Amino acid sequence: MHTITPSSGASLKSLVRQTSPPPGQINRFVPARLVVQCGYRFDSANTNASTVNTNGIPASNNFAGHVGASRADWQSSCAILASKVVSQQQDTEKTGGAGEITVVNGHKTLDLVPIDNNLPKPLTITDLSPAPMHGSQLRVAYQGVPGAYSEAAAGKAYPKCEAIPCDQFEVAFQAVELWIADRAVLPVENSLGGSIHRNYDLLLRHRLHIVGEVQLPVHHCLLALPGVRKEYLTRVISHPQALAQCELTLTKLGLNVVREAVDDTAGAAEYIAANNLRDTAAIASARAAELYGLQILSEGIQDDSSNVTRFVMLAREPIIPRTDRPFKTSIVFAHDKGTSVLFKVLSAFAFRNISLTKIESRPHRNRPIRLVDDANVGTAKHFEYMFYVDFEASMADVRAQNALAEVQEFTSFLRVLGSYPMDMTPWCPSREE
């Protein structure tokens, strides 16, 4: 399993305490009290209900059922996702000085951000168990904070899931690989902004499998603190894709403001509320306005009412492909001789009447440049590419099997990212899901 190590934070050993065992028993590592507490809730009618957390302290109405009312709580949850904090004795190796842990479950330890040990609901060995049994609640990782569109996509894909926010896409992948989450829901393309290239690179970098897809209409709103008027604004912040999707509308509104990119849409709303910024607006969802106590200055500010984002669901194991419903298969391939093989690959699908829904090329990270020598012309330099292809067929379909068998003859690298059911649910572009 491929694991990425963050470059800063506290050592893992600060999160693990060693207890003195009874006579005749071996030492066991006991996990520190860490928190992964969040959930997805669709019906906004229940968000006004008063809640009390496990410490007996009334929780904010705006944050009922979510990670907490402050960025510190959210960062604490994200910190857990950067490493597998607890392991069984037989999977833990110790080297160096006393108490120093360098390997956990066969992986190098990851540095974490210091967290509060007095937080409720400690992470236990149960939280790191395999996928839940039938009927249990799925744990779904997504990038962003509560109120993000990715959280809505997680709720649409798994209506009764426990949604786990992550501060980075990389952390969402690791959360599934380290058994902290059962699924990850990540955006891969938008009808206006195009592909999210970072996630295509991560699909190749990690060994997770695509097990489903969901298409979510994106309904952007302009949010600000209560009482703030449009003419007072000097800055608008949001995710780069959201800013690009609302560029024309912002101009039509007559807003002479600076556009500033941040990590995610809901995070922009949370940042304005936490810092009481009365000259700044955020582009985010109506749900984010409700969660963070902001007012909606303008609704539906996306340049195209048919703005929709496609998300994929990732899991540790692939699902069994079937032929009783429409399926889609995603692959990635490359060839040592460059792009000349692309025509042959596409012909393998066209000959069998298999429709392609997407072709995405990304530069080969390990071999970005290819030199071509010609005695009469000289030396030319070309990019080497990885090709991502989605086609409408199940891997249980004989046509798809034969097509990939032929593609394998032309390519030096071929990997099936997943064969999964297509999202066939109707959606309305005029309103938010």
Side-chain angles (χ1 to χ4, degrees), residues 188-189 200 210-215 310-312 319 321-322 325-331 354-358 389-396 400 416-424:
V188 290
E189 57 182 332
Y200 275 97
I210 302 177
V211 296
E213 67 172 1
V214 61
Q215 297 180 4
R310 175 174 170 251
F311 295 79
V312 294
I319 62 174
R322 298 157 56 181
R325 61 168 297 177
F327 259 64
K328 182 183 292 185
T329 301
S330 299
I331 64 173
I354 299 177
S355 299
L356 303 184
T357 60
K358 183 176 180 62
V389 172
D390 294 346
F391 59 88
E392 294 182 349
S394 169
M395 282 301 297
V416 177
L417 298 173
S419 187
Y420 48 92
M422 295 175 58
D423 182 8
M424 305 297 292

Side-chain angles (χ1 to χ4, degrees), residues 251-307:
T251 303
K252 292 179 181 179
L253 291 175
L255 297 179
N256 185 21
V257 294
V258 176
R259 277 80 159 171
E260 184 175 317
V262 294
D263 289 339
D264 60 274
T265 55
E270 191 269 347
Y271 180 77
I272 291 176
N275 294 276
N276 196 31
L277 302 178
R278 306 195 65 81
D279 63 342
T280 304
I283 297 176
S285 65
R287 176 174 171 78
E290 179 183 0
L291 289 175
Y292 302 110
L294 302 182
Q295 65 172 336
I296 299 177
L297 298 179
S298 183
E299 290 189 78
I301 64 172
Q302 62 274 7
D303 295 338
D304 190 339
S305 60
S306 299
N307 186 17

Side-chain angles (χ1 to χ4, degrees), residues 72-340:
D73 293 337
W74 171 71
Q75 288 176 335
S76 298
S77 296
C78 289
I80 302 168
L81 304 181
S83 174
K84 189 170 184 178
V85 180
V86 62
S87 67
Q88 298 179 0
Q89 177 65 28
Q90 60 269 27
D91 293 328
T92 304
E93 302 176 24
K94 296 175 58 179
T95 61
E100 181 181 359
I101 302 175
T102 60
V103 178
V104 177
N105 280 359
H107 302 282
K108 293 182 179 179
T109 59
L110 304 178
D111 295 332
L112 301 182
V113 177
I115 65 172
D116 184 2
N117 288 333
N118 295 322
L119 294 174
K121 192 183 177 183
L123 185 70
T124 66
I125 195 65
T126 304
D127 297 311
L128 302 179
S129 63
M133 301 297 291
H134 179 71
S136 299
Q137 188 179 38
L138 280 174
R139 299 159 296 187
V140 181
Y142 68 93
Q143 188 274 331
V145 299
Y149 293 105
S150 293
E151 185 200 30
K156 181 178 180 181
Y158 305 104
K160 296 182 180 180
C161 71
E162 178 187 2
I164 303 176
C166 306
D167 61 350
Q168 302 174 33
F169 290 124
E170 178 81 38
V171 176
F173 277 84
Q174 291 189 39
V176 179
E177 290 178 330
L178 299 178
W179 298 83
I180 296 175
D182 305 297
R183 300 286 188 274
V185 173
L186 299 169
V188 290
E189 57 182 332
N190 176 265
S191 58
L192 298 181
S195 300
I196 291 86
H197 296 133
R198 174 60 176 165
N199 284 339
Y200 275 97
D201 293 338
L202 289 174
L203 283 172
L204 185 61
R205 190 174 185 176
H206 293 266
R207 299 298 300 182
L208 298 182
H209 303 268
I210 302 177
V211 296
E213 67 172 1
V214 61
Q215 297 180 4
L216 184 77
V218 177
H219 186 77
H220 288 309
C221 300
L222 187 66
L223 312 180
L225 290 172
V228 173
R229 299 170 60 181
K230 294 179 183 178
E231 51 266 30
Y232 297 157
L233 299 175
T234 62
R235 180 174 61 160
V236 173
I237 62 176
S238 190
H239 188 275
Q241 287 256 350
L243 292 173
Q245 294 164 16
C246 302
E247 181 67 28
L248 296 179
T249 304
L250 291 177
T251 303
K252 292 179 181 179
L253 291 175
L255 297 179
N256 185 21
V257 294
V258 176
R259 277 80 159 171
E260 184 175 317
V262 294
D263 289 339
D264 60 274
T265 55
E270 191 269 347
Y271 180 77
I272 291 176
N275 294 276
N276 196 31
L277 302 178
R278 306 195 65 81
D279 63 342
T280 304
I283 297 176
S285 65
R287 176 174 171 78
E290 179 183 0
L291 289 175
Y292 302 110
L294 302 182
Q295 65 172 336
I296 299 177
L297 298 179
S298 183
E299 290 189 78
I301 64 172
Q302 62 274 7
D303 295 338
D304 190 339
S305 60
S306 299
N307 186 17
V308 59
T309 298
R310 175 174 170 251
F311 295 79
V312 294
M313 292 92 83
L314 305 176
R316 289 178 292 273
E317 300 294 336
I319 62 174
I320 300 175
R322 298 157 56 181
T323 58
D324 59 345
R325 61 168 297 177
F327 259 64
K328 182 183 292 185
T329 301
S330 299
I331 64 173
V332 57
F333 65 87
H335 195 271
D336 294 335
K337 296 182 179 180
T339 59
S340 60

